[in-house]
Amino acid sequence: MLTHSPYEPLDADSLVDRLGALPAMMERVGPAAHWRVREVGDGNLNLVFIVEGRAGSAVVKQALPYARVVGESWPMSLDRSFFEHEALLRLDSRDPGRLPAIYHFDRHQAIQVMEHLWPHVILRKGLMAGERFPLMAGQLGRYLARTLFRGSDWAMDTTRRKADLAVFAGNVELCGITEDLFFTDPFHECARNSHNPALDHAVAAIRADRDLKLAALELKARFCGTAQTLLHGDLHTGSIMVCQEDTRVIDAEFATYGPMGFDIGSLLANLWMAVFAQPGLRPDDGETRAYRRWILDTAETIWNVFVEEFTRLWRCERNGILGGRELFEDQADPVGGELALNAMIDGIWHDAVGFSGIEIHRRILGLAHIPEFESITDAALRAGCEHRALRAGRVLAVERGRFATIGQVRTLIARLEGDDL
């Protein structure tokens, strides 16, 4: 069995020999003699293989003992596969069918065998290609509401909640990466950072911007000190797979307890960056402007559906540690419960706005860039797209309290783009 062998990274040739007798693989893919294996991992951390055979297909994901984006000079624990596995199970139980099914997990080898999502594509790639996914916004809004609410003190009892918190408190390595790469590195000189040289003057101004750095520190404190719920921890358009009928969330190895607005803000920021990137990816004509409006509509729908579903869950499933029904509804004071709900949603929203501003900065100035900007070959054109995104990011982070609605964020983006979006 794999578990009784020393850890060894897979490759397309060794995978057949090492996993060929695994029942989960034989059941899902068929006899190993007919397997076709291709490595498709384009992320920063892991090996990912698609295995196809006579019976079907599966995905095999294996953690490496280092950060793939950097190489062996940045060693990492294999335990991240355990935390991802645990997170996927919990998130799937809270919104069934929105995560890939897990067929097998080997902690020693840091291997997961999971559902091959087909004909899904990575959302980021779909946005770059100008594709539309009509059901995605609603599915993501409900996913966010269900996973964030059902993993929180508002829904869970003390025993389950404290046990889960103890499990994910061990994910210190990846949580530390978020704390550094997200909130700290982009705002000072750091060897891990890189940026478009055409942004040199803007970068110098950002790193001298006291108000922005104070906002980053405040939001880092919010991330570190607010254990509201189990987060996906790295929810962006590269960790979502979509097709016309279905949306799935993948890559949950950064899962940790934190503020609800973090997952929401990370996702919204990547949608908004996709809008800023569009003029650099295709001709700036009527079709492109219509597509940018669609992305902005998608972001608004995600938030509005989140609020609608979160409200439903609050009214129907608020039975956890912080339920508070005995203080309001049980005393014939439903208005009190609604006031608490409104305050909760308001806090989540302003957190999300602030985190979105920081996410924009780290994707342009930090280690992990996004292909929407990286694929723009004209440096000056790319710099213009990035600079407008950074201007939006600063306002969202520093002035997050002045945005009462997501429509006001849309107005900000339209003003910066000089267009009627």
Side-chain angles (χ1 to χ4, degrees):
M1 294 177 63
L2 282 172
T3 300
H4 299 307
S5 304
Y7 170 86
E8 183 180 350
L10 296 167
D11 58 38
D13 295 324
S14 66
L15 186 148
V16 177
D17 292 334
R18 296 179 65 197
L19 274 65
L22 194 66
M25 291 294 291
M26 291 189 290
E27 178 183 351
R28 301 289 173 177
V29 184
H34 304 286
W35 288 3
R36 299 179 301 280
V37 182
R38 50 197 171 98
E39 212 275 312
V40 297
D42 60 359
N44 296 325
L45 297 178
N46 307 295
L47 297 171
V48 182
F49 303 89
I50 293 175
V51 186
E52 299 169 299
R54 288 186 170 178
S57 60
V59 166
V60 176
K61 181 175 181 178
Q62 185 183 36
L64 289 166
Y66 53 84
R68 187 176 187 180
V69 68
V70 175
E72 296 185 18
S73 63
W74 188 348
M76 294 185 68
S77 169
L78 298 174
D79 284 342
R80 67 181 185 274
S81 67
F82 165 77
F83 293 112
E84 178 178 24
H85 177 254
E86 294 297 304
L88 289 173
L89 295 178
R90 286 162 175 78
L91 295 172
D92 182 68
S93 72
R94 292 162 189 167
D95 189 18
R98 204 52 63 210
L99 287 298
I102 305 296
Y103 304 139
H104 178 79
F105 174 59
D106 187 317
R107 183 171 184 177
H108 180 73
Q109 295 291 336
I111 288 174
Q112 296 181 83
V113 179
M114 61 184 69
E115 180 182 4
H116 176 208
L117 300 174
W118 179 258
H120 300 65
V121 298
I122 296 291
L123 175 55
R124 190 182 300 285
K125 294 180 179 179
L127 294 174
M128 292 175 67
E131 298 181 45
R132 300 183 188 223
F133 305 97
L135 302 182
M136 176 189 71
Q139 291 171 345
L140 285 176
R142 287 184 288 274
Y143 163 83
L144 285 164
R146 292 168 183 175
T147 57
L148 297 177
F149 183 86
R150 289 171 172 164
S152 76
D153 286 335
W154 284 267
M156 296 178 71
D157 63 39
T158 298
T159 301
R160 290 178 56 233
R161 170 65 161 73
K162 299 300 191 284
D164 269 13
L165 184 63
V167 169
F168 289 95
N171 199 10
V172 294
E173 190 170 47
L174 268 66
C175 199
I177 289 174
T178 299
E179 291 158 5
D180 290 340
L181 270 62
F182 198 99
F183 297 100
T184 303
D185 287 2
F187 306 101
H188 74 114
E189 293 290 339
C190 176
R192 290 189 290 242
N193 292 337
S194 65
H195 64 265
N196 180 354
L199 290 175
D200 281 349
H201 291 298
V203 173
I206 286 168
R207 291 176 181 159
D209 188 335
R210 179 183 293 158
D211 288 340
L212 177 58
K213 291 187 288 185
L214 284 170
L217 188 58
E218 290 166 0
L219 288 158
K220 184 175 184 178
R222 184 79 177 143
F223 176 80
C224 294
T226 309
Q228 283 182 326
T229 193
L230 178 65
L231 301 173
H232 176 281
D234 195 29
L235 189 64
H236 53 76
T237 53
S239 56
I240 296 168
M241 298 193 70
V242 288
C243 63
Q244 291 296 300
E245 299 81 22
D246 188 41
T247 308
R248 303 292 188 95
V249 175
I250 62 173
D251 294 345
E253 56 260 67
F254 282 85
T256 187
Y257 269 79
M260 294 185 180
F262 185 79
D263 276 357
I264 300 169
S266 296
L267 176 57
L268 293 179
N270 279 267
L271 291 170
W272 291 329
M273 283 188 284
V275 173
F276 284 112
Q278 289 299 312
L281 296 174
R282 54 181 52 85
D284 191 10
D285 54 20
E287 183 177 342
T288 298
R289 288 191 290 276
Y291 188 65
R292 293 157 79 198
R293 287 193 291 271
W294 178 82
I295 300 175
L296 290 170
D297 289 343
T298 297
E300 287 196 57
T301 301
I302 289 171
W303 172 251
N304 291 333
V305 170
F306 167 83
V307 172
E308 179 182 352
E309 180 68 2
F310 193 92
T311 298
R312 184 188 72 81
L313 295 169
W314 179 276
R315 293 169 179 167
C316 300
E317 298 185 14
R318 198 174 86 251
N319 302 308
I321 306 166
L322 294 179
R325 290 184 179 278
E326 63 274 44
L327 303 180
F328 301 112
E329 287 87 350
D330 294 350
Q331 296 185 35
D333 180 18
V335 173
E338 293 299 295
L339 290 172
L341 167 64
N342 292 338
M344 186 71 188
I345 291 175
D346 186 61
I348 293 169
W349 167 245
H350 286 110
D351 280 352
V353 172
F355 290 128
S356 72
I358 301 301
E359 167 75 353
I360 289 171
H361 282 83
R362 74 108 172 180
R363 289 297 189 176
I364 297 173
L365 308 182
L367 172 67
H369 293 194
I370 59 171
E372 287 95 324
F373 293 138
E374 296 271 286
S375 62
I376 300 172
T377 56
D378 184 318
L381 182 59
R382 172 184 162 188
C385 296
E386 292 174 321
H387 191 255
R388 291 190 294 276
L390 288 169
R391 289 175 63 193
R394 185 194 186 278
V395 176
L396 295 173
V398 175
E399 302 179 42
R400 55 194 182 277
R402 78 172 173 91
F403 291 93
T405 69
I406 194 168
Q408 291 173 341
V409 178
R410 183 181 191 134
T411 299
L412 169 69
I413 293 171
R415 177 172 59 80
L416 291 170
E417 289 290 90
D419 203 348
D420 181 17
L421 299 175

